[in-house]
Amino acid sequence: MNDIRIDLDEDAIAGLALHPDVQADLATRMDRVVEIAQVTAPVLTGAYKESIHRVEQPDINGAVHVDASVDYAIYVEHGTTQRDRNGHAIHRPHYTLIHALDAAGGNHHV
């Protein structure tokens, strides 16, 4: 059996995510996620839908994020444990951002 040795240039790989062309591609992809999320978002007042946006600056690792910035976004996304008197869920999860990532062909971490 032959051994193959591969030396990776860790610095070059780490810097690739921050390359302007990669960042432009990620921004375009996340803008599509925003479009899908806004179209599929549940609407009561419209505030949740309007708060969905691409975070302007990537994180330290170069990841580009989509956020819903209203303070109750987590409850729209994941629902609550509140029940009515018959035991039915009052606020069911919508998974708007997760579904938008899937529809746009993105990769996501919850």
Side-chain angles (χ1 to χ4, degrees), residues 1 22 33 39 70 83 86:
M1 179 169 17
V22 172
V33 171
V39 166
V70 293
R83 304 275 176 190
N86 298 315

Side-chain angles (χ1 to χ4, degrees), residues 27-40:
T28 299
R29 291 170 185 263
M30 291 303 104
D31 287 343
R32 178 72 178 134
V33 171
V34 168
E35 289 174 22
I36 294 168
Q38 287 178 339
V39 166
T40 61

Side-chain angles (χ1 to χ4, degrees), residues 12-58:
I13 293 169
L16 184 61
L18 297 172
H19 188 278
D21 292 339
V22 172
Q23 284 299 302
D25 179 62
L26 290 172
T28 299
R29 291 170 185 263
M30 291 303 104
D31 287 343
R32 178 72 178 134
V33 171
V34 168
E35 289 174 22
I36 294 168
Q38 287 178 339
V39 166
T40 61
V43 178
L44 183 60
T45 66
Y48 173 73
K49 177 181 176 176
E50 291 173 12
S51 79
I52 298 171
H53 66 282
R54 176 173 48 88
V55 177
E56 203 56 41
Q57 294 297 318

Side-chain angles (χ1 to χ4, degrees), residues 2-6:
N2 294 333
D3 289 337
I4 299 174
R5 179 179 166 87
I6 299 173

Side-chain angles (χ1 to χ4, degrees), residues 7-19 60-61:
D7 293 320
L8 298 176
D9 185 346
E10 300 286 338
D11 292 333
I13 293 169
L16 184 61
L18 297 172
H19 188 278
I60 193 166
N61 297 317

Side-chain angles (χ1 to χ4, degrees), residues 48 68 70-80 93-95 110:
Y48 173 73
V70 293
D71 59 354
Y72 54 87
I74 188 102
Y75 305 114
V76 173
E77 194 69 12
H78 297 286
T80 70
H94 290 276
Y95 305 119
V110 177

